[in-house]
Amino acid sequence: MNFDDTPEEAAFRAEARAWIEANAPSHLLPILSGSGFGTSAEAGEIDMLAEAKAWQKKKCDAGWACLHWPQEYGGRGATPMQRVVWNQEEGVYAQLSFTFIIGQGMCGPTVMAWGSEEDKQRLLPPLAAGEDIWCQMFSEPAAGSDLAGLRTRAVKDGDEWIVNGSKIWTSGAHISQYGILLTRTDPSVAKHKGLTMFWVDMRSPGIEVRPILQAHGQSGFNEVFFTDLRIPDSQRLGEVGNGWNVSLTTLMNERLSIGSGMSTGFEPLLDYAIRAPGPSGGRLVDDPSIRSKLADWATKASGLKYTGMRALTALSKGEQPGPENSIGKLVAGTTMQDIAMFAIDQQGEAGVLTDPQRAAAAARFQQVLMRSPATRIEGGTDEILRNIIAERVLGLPGDVRVDKNVAFDKIPTRA
Amino acid sequence: MQFDFSEQQQEFRQEARRFLAAECPPERVRKAIEGGGFDRALWQGVAEMGFLGIAIPEEHGGLGLGYLELCAVAEEFGRALAPLPILSSIYLAAEAIKSFGTAEQQVAWLPRLAAGATIGCLAAAEGERLSERHLRTAFANGRLDGTKAPVLDGDIADIAIVLAKEGDALSLVRVDLAADGVTRTPLDTLDPSRGQAEIVFAGAPAERLGERGEGWAMFQTLLDRAAVLTAFEQIGGADRALEMGRDYALERMAFGRQIGSFQAIKHMLADMYVSATLARSNAYYGAWALSTGASELPQAAATARVSATNAFRHCAKNNIQVHGGMGFTWQMDCHFFYRRANQLALALGGPPDWEEKLVSRLSAVNMPIAA
Ligand SMILES: Cc1cc2nc3c(=O)[nH]c(=O)nc-3n(C[C@H](O)[C@H](O)[C@H](O)COP(=O)(O)OP(=O)(O)OC[C@H]3O[C@@H](n4cnc5c(N)ncnc54)[C@H](O)[C@@H]3O)c2cc1C
């Protein structure tokens, strides 16, 4: 047990820090440190997508992008620990790379595991360099938690597949060049067995993207419609009918990349509690009842951080990321919602204000309040994550499965 | 014992429900949120039904009924998420004038408030958590100076009841918001269905309400009464959020089953029911104390307030969760309930203040009598 940098890690850290100091877009610091409510107003004329792409490209050219990917695909072949060190050093600038997280964190690894060598050479380097944005087209109107219940059909036609159907909640589809697409190729077998995965060019004829306005007033996810979309068979990822296993690669990486290292909002809360006045005149942090809550959240935040460290240690010893990684998003999602409510409550009636110029802590807590409901749903709901922990980690019996071994087209779809 | 609304009161509630179902459907709430502005026609309709004047005496243009009837109707306004300034204008401003105003002030304002022709609001907060000691807005020689923010419905109100320093004590004063020396700026908030504003007073003409130096005590009385009425809005909202979640759980299929057949969802809905039910019972206790003028009112009000705040928030956030991705779209109404639940939690002072009041009132009541 040792938290100190090894000499190699220390050297890596010094190198990373020096490079970031010399190269980071420090003119964006005020925007990146503010809350999401303020981004557009403060950003003014600044094109944040262009800034994000520029930062990603700069990182990639200097060997700081997709650190754990092999060098030939645009990465650096770094160890998991070097990745942690980099993340610590990159700090708020990492927000610029959120746009690429689905591509680099989920789609890239899936292509790497299941794509042809030619695809990998062609698709991965521009993804690492931030030239391309990718989206993940899994969920459908009738298939979210029950992902294997999806209905978008792909039918073989010579060397091509013809795809019809629709996806929903596709984050970033409106700005993506590519996406991975899970389809049903055989409805006559059990639902997990008839699926096949592809990668697609989002500019192909037959794809229409319609943005959906989200509950917090921003537009991040989309509906995607396919009408006689043609995909060459060469863009298939994995065998026909093996789409479920391919999608598990994506989902495992999803849990790893969005769950691990996810902030609970505890640090900004502590910072606020140290500055803000408490009910009895002193500082908020000095109030006994508040201290007990702070203590609870502090242990959740640190517990998550060190659980993440243990997962990384296991990873660096060559172990595979397992279902236990579901804990990250489960704890972070609920904790950030609790913390946000608590923090706005401390602000009294002014807690409703969302203007970063007026609200405490640049309206960060108000922003988290409105965004956290999504965290508890995207990439697996709290309930599904608990099922995974109960069944796959603890070995408890699965839910009664009325759709088990039933041909997909015989499963009840209506109450 | 009869711990329920009378048949007549229930009938009154039904009438409010029918009216709001017809006149304030979710589309109309949506329009208010998405920038339709204040729905004056709806406000006039509510006034014509007599709902604004329920607890205002007949001689001042009201119906002269009691608080119980007003509680019953408040629940329906909460359930419909009515985008209307009832909390500000009726539970607070009209109450202030009715309870502490002079005969002339009552004659001048109560009929207008009951008819919806004048909208009132209460301006107390000054940017941070409110405390008796830190208030800066000052009233002297019939003039008011200072800044109040956020003021709920301050963007559309015609008059404000303002908590201000008068010398070294606090008083309540009434200000005409159209007068010289008043500027207001609308503020962006979590719940755009209810406007909020910053109001700056620079030598604005004002008149005192009630006794000099009694401002803080009067303010607390107003808050306690409004807390009970607001608790009914909150349980109305909580109940509706629970119903929405239940209906969706019956309709949505996953893994070949209704999602309501999963124990996780069942337990979530059952817990929503439990918190809404406890809050309703606490609100009834508050209504009883309010309507009878019982000495328990402060304690009952704080109980109702804390319970209803928790229940509405709990139901609103879990309603989104039951709806999955659907719940996080602008198109669904789930987030309106989440927004309103958080807005109401912070109106009248935030939860920590009410928790503090609840426990200190409980412990004061049960204090052993000194020998
Ligand atoms: C902000 C956001 C971004 C997203 N981005 C993407 C994306 O880029 N690509 C993509 O493919 N998808 C994306 N999604 C979709 C996301 O993965 C689904 O919303 C999620 O898996 C839930 O599915 P659903 O919305 O269909 O809810 P449902 O599956 O209908 O769930 C409704 C409720 O039922 C519960 N439930 C369902 N099954 C069970 C069970 N067996 N036991 C107990 N409870 C159960 C759920 O927990 C939930 O509370 C995104 C979602 C959000 C909110």
Side-chain angles (χ1 to χ4, degrees):
Chain A
M1 212 66 69
N2 182 0
F3 282 110
D4 296 338
D5 287 343
T6 61
E8 297 80 46
E9 283 159 7
F12 181 85
R13 187 184 296 280
E15 194 193 337
R17 183 173 297 175
W19 188 84
I20 290 167
E21 261 170 32
N23 292 285
S26 55
H27 64 286
L28 299 176
L29 211 52
I31 300 172
L32 298 173
S33 328
S35 80
F37 280 121
T39 322
S40 50
E42 280 165 44
E45 296 298 298
I46 301 176
D47 178 348
M48 289 305 281
L49 184 58
E51 294 282 356
K53 288 190 164 192
W55 176 231
Q56 191 64 34
K57 179 90 177 89
K58 209 169 184 184
K59 285 197 286 187
C60 192
D61 289 346
W64 297 107
C66 296
L67 268 72
H68 58 307
W69 287 15
Q71 238 158 354
E72 52 175 321
Y73 300 140
R76 187 190 183 97
T79 67
M81 284 308 163
Q82 287 177 326
R83 236 177 126 191
V84 173
V85 171
W86 168 264
N87 288 342
Q88 289 169 345
E89 295 301 325
E90 192 181 12
V92 291
Y93 296 111
Q95 286 175 45
L96 284 169
S97 303
F98 284 176
T99 317
F100 308 109
I101 196 168
I102 291 180
Q104 296 175 352
M106 301 153 214
C107 304
T110 308
V111 170
M112 217 177 297
W114 300 91
S116 67
E117 192 49 44
E118 200 187 320
D119 285 351
K120 292 194 246 184
Q121 301 281 3
R122 171 173 159 211
L123 299 170
L124 297 177
L127 171 52
E131 283 156 27
D132 293 336
I133 295 170
W134 282 62
C135 62
Q136 172 185 340
M137 292 175 284
F138 285 14
S139 306
E140 295 188 8
S145 302
D146 183 11
L147 175 58
L150 60 86
R151 326 184 140 254
T152 289
R153 277 284 269 146
V155 179
K156 190 88 192 280
D157 181 37
D159 271 354
E160 290 182 326
W161 294 82
I162 302 175
V163 179
N164 281 285
S166 70
K167 296 287 172 181
I168 196 167
W169 324 128
T170 317
S171 302
H174 56 306
I175 47 168
S176 290
Q177 278 76 41
Y178 296 101
I180 54 174
L181 173 63
L182 190 58
T183 63
R184 182 163 307 280
T185 42
D186 186 357
S188 70
V189 294
K191 65 179 185 179
H192 292 93
K193 301 219 165 100
L195 305 175
T196 304
M197 184 84 84
F198 299 92
W199 65 264
V200 286
D201 186 333
M202 295 300 284
R203 292 153 296 197
S204 315
I207 300 188
E208 190 204 338
V209 176
R210 285 188 214 154
I212 305 173
L213 190 58
Q214 299 177 325
H216 64 330
Q218 295 168 15
S219 197
F221 54 36
N222 302 270
E223 284 180 284
V224 183
F225 298 90
F226 311 104
T227 317
D228 295 329
L229 163 70
R230 291 189 162 263
I231 306 180
D233 187 54
S234 61
Q235 293 181 200
R236 180 163 39 77
L237 296 170
E239 294 305 304
V240 175
N242 197 31
W244 183 249
N245 280 326
V246 179
S247 75
L248 289 181
T249 307
T250 321
L251 297 177
M252 200 76 87
N253 279 288
E254 174 164 19
R255 259 151 229 157
L256 202 65
S257 68
I258 66 179
S260 75
M262 188 177 238
S263 160
T264 56
F266 177 71
E267 279 169 24
L269 177 68
L270 183 62
D271 186 59
Y272 173 68
I274 289 169
R275 291 158 200 269
S280 29
R283 302 177 306 169
L284 198 56
V285 73
D286 296 326
D287 190 84
S289 68
I290 287 168
R291 290 171 93 81
S292 98
K293 285 186 197 278
L294 289 175
D296 180 29
W297 288 323
T299 56
K300 288 210 168 83
S302 71
L304 270 190
K305 179 171 158 201
Y306 299 127
T307 301
M309 298 273 196
R310 288 173 54 210
L312 279 163
T313 305
L315 207 62
S316 48
K317 288 186 190 154
E319 290 171 31
Q320 287 301 306
E324 66 281 359
N325 289 303
S326 299
I327 199 172
K329 199 176 75 81
L330 179 62
V331 177
T334 49
T335 306
M336 68 170 70
Q337 192 170 35
D338 290 347
I339 284 181
M341 276 194 197
F342 172 81
I344 66 168
D345 287 356
Q346 302 308 317
Q347 297 164 28
E349 285 162 290
V352 291
L353 301 180
T354 53
D355 178 347
Q357 308 292 340
R358 291 178 179 269
R364 180 179 300 274
F365 299 112
Q366 285 77 5
Q367 202 248 337
V368 173
L369 180 82
M370 290 313 295
R371 171 62 223 213
S372 52
T375 307
R376 299 179 50 202
I377 295 163
E378 64 194 335
T381 63
D382 287 359
E383 293 66 41
I384 294 298
L385 298 181
R386 287 198 180 92
N387 279 349
I388 290 173
I389 292 171
E391 296 172 17
R392 311 236 328 266
V393 182
L394 302 177
L396 297 171
D399 258 329
V400 177
R401 291 283 299 274
V402 298
D403 56 355
K404 197 167 186 180
N405 300 328
V406 178
F408 177 73
D409 48 15
K410 300 282 180 310
I411 295 172
T413 54
R414 210 156 257 158
Chain B
M1 199 181 70
Q2 133 80 358
F3 196 50
D4 196 359
F5 288 100
S6 70
E7 246 167 71
Q8 234 178 341
Q9 288 152 356
Q10 311 257 27
E11 179 41 45
F12 215 68
R13 164 157 61 203
Q14 286 309 325
E15 200 180 310
R17 183 173 296 199
R18 278 191 300 270
F19 174 81
L20 290 166
E23 302 297 326
C24 183
E27 308 84 73
R28 203 142 169 186
V29 179
R30 182 170 289 274
K31 217 177 129 211
I33 289 195
E34 290 174 351
F38 171 54
D39 194 333
R40 199 166 287 275
L42 179 59
W43 181 243
Q44 281 313 321
V46 165
E48 277 156 30
M49 290 297 288
F51 295 144
L52 302 180
I54 290 174
I56 293 176
E58 276 174 294
E59 76 249 38
H60 294 312
L63 298 186
L65 297 167
Y67 288 112
L68 285 178
E69 286 77 6
L70 190 53
C71 286
V73 169
E75 180 179 338
E76 297 307 322
F77 282 107
R79 158 179 278 275
L81 292 185
L84 299 174
I86 300 167
L87 163 59
S88 304
S89 198
I90 302 303
Y91 312 163
L92 290 167
E95 257 330 289
I97 292 170
K98 187 176 85 179
S99 311
F100 309 118
T102 60
E104 295 90 74
Q105 284 168 331
Q106 293 180 356
V107 168
W109 297 106
L110 290 179
R112 299 188 57 82
L113 288 163
T118 291
I119 295 171
C121 66
L122 184 98
E126 296 184 355
E128 11 181 278
R129 195 165 165 170
L130 186 63
S131 79
E132 195 176 353
R133 277 167 297 156
H134 294 119
L135 228 59
R136 287 178 298 264
T137 299
F139 173 66
N141 306 322
R143 302 272 160 187
L144 190 66
D145 288 278
T147 300
K148 293 287 185 183
V151 181
L152 181 59
D153 301 310
D155 56 334
I156 52 165
D158 305 297
I159 60 171
I161 308 298
V162 180
L163 182 64
K165 262 184 1 197
E166 189 175 8
D168 51 8
L170 295 180
S171 296
L172 283 185
V173 301
R174 191 200 63 81
V175 192
D176 220 319
L177 293 175
D180 284 343
V182 179
T183 14
R184 18 185 181 175
T185 316
L187 302 173
D188 289 337
T189 70
L190 291 170
D191 180 9
S193 75
R194 304 289 305 278
Q196 306 240 18
E198 176 185 80
I199 308 185
V200 178
F201 302 103
E207 58 176 1
R208 183 158 6 82
L209 210 62
E211 296 301 312
R212 175 194 169 113
E214 291 295 307
W216 187 254
M218 292 188 288
F219 176 59
Q220 292 304 322
T221 304
L222 290 174
L223 285 187
D224 283 347
R225 291 182 193 168
V228 174
L229 293 160
T230 307
F232 278 89
E233 288 199 8
Q234 291 170 304
I235 58 173
D239 263 0
R240 181 70 198 117
L242 166 61
E243 274 172 26
M244 287 168 73
R246 193 257 334 261
D247 292 350
Y248 193 73
L250 286 169
E251 175 191 303
R252 173 73 170 173
M253 302 282 287
F255 303 95
R257 296 157 57 172
Q258 291 159 287
I259 60 169
S261 69
F262 295 117
Q263 200 171 45
I265 299 294
K266 271 195 258 189
H267 284 191
M268 195 163 12
L269 290 165
D271 287 344
M272 288 158 76
Y273 171 81
V274 169
S275 66
T277 301
L278 297 183
R280 175 176 293 279
S281 305
N282 285 321
Y284 279 24
Y285 167 53
W288 164 81
L290 175 62
S291 67
T292 56
S295 61
E296 283 105 316
L297 177 62
Q299 182 198 325
T303 308
R305 169 83 181 151
V306 170
S307 188
T309 297
N310 290 341
F312 192 10
R313 275 185 158 172
H314 176 79
C315 291
K317 80 176 183 188
N318 283 337
N319 181 39
I320 297 182
Q321 188 67 18
V322 169
H323 278 76
M326 216 53 203
F328 199 65
T329 59
W330 187 272
Q331 209 43 49
M332 295 295 288
D333 293 338
C334 303
H335 66 108
F336 294 158
F337 286 83
Y338 187 65
R339 290 171 185 280
R340 182 63 70 83
N342 283 292
Q343 189 261 310
L344 286 181
L346 298 167
L348 308 175
D353 291 340
W354 287 96
E355 287 160 5
E356 162 62 30
K357 280 184 206 180
L358 173 57
V359 178
S360 67
R361 287 167 180 183
L362 279 174
S363 51
V365 169
N366 294 319
M367 199 119 80
I369 295 160

